Amino acid sequence: MDYVVIQDFRAAALEPVEQLPEPVWSEGLCFYRENRDAQTNIFINRMPRGTYVLDYELFATQSGTFTSGAASVQSQYNPAIAAHSAGMLINVNAQ
C-alpha cells in the first residue's frame, strides 16, 4: 500500500518519551512519527505486503485506571482500505 496513516489514540495517563516529530527506521520501513495531544500519528509512504510491529515508548504521568483509544490504519489514496484495533483498559499503579 502507498501513503498509509496510522493513528494511535493514547490513554490519558500516557505520554510519549520522544516528544518531537521525527523520521524513524523500524521493521524495514522508514516512516515519520508525530505526537499530538491525545494521539500519535505514523505516516508511511510505501508499505509492502507483510506483518509489522511498530512501537514507541510511553511513560505514565499518573496512577489510576484509564481507557486506551483504538488505533486505526488507512490508505490515504484509497480510504476504503482501513482497519482498527479494539480499545483496552490500562491500570497504572504508583510505586
Side-chain angles (χ1 to χ4, degrees), residues 12-23:
L14 301 177
E15 290 293 328
V17 172
E18 296 292 331
Q19 292 289 328
L20 297 176
E22 63 184 350

Side-chain angles (χ1 to χ4, degrees), residues 3-17:
Y3 302 105
V4 176
V5 176
I6 300 171
Q7 294 178 315
D8 183 21
F9 290 90
R10 296 186 301 273
L14 301 177
E15 290 293 328
V17 172

Side-chain angles (χ1 to χ4, degrees), residues 2-75:
D2 292 329
Y3 302 105
V4 176
V5 176
I6 300 171
Q7 294 178 315
D8 183 21
F9 290 90
R10 296 186 301 273
L14 301 177
E15 290 293 328
V17 172
E18 296 292 331
Q19 292 289 328
L20 297 176
E22 63 184 350
V24 178
W25 181 265
S26 177
E27 293 285 320
L29 296 174
C30 184
F31 54 89
Y32 184 77
R33 183 180 63 215
E34 73 169 2
N35 298 308
R36 300 276 177 129
D37 289 339
Q39 71 189 40
T40 295
N41 296 324
I42 297 173
F43 301 96
I44 305 169
N45 287 340
R46 175 89 174 113
M47 183 180 242
R49 184 179 300 238
T51 302
Y52 301 94
V53 177
L54 306 177
D55 59 2
Y56 57 95
E57 291 185 40
L58 301 168
F59 66 92
T61 58
Q62 55 190 337
S63 60
T65 302
F66 303 93
T67 303
S68 175
S72 65
V73 60
Q74 186 175 28
S75 172

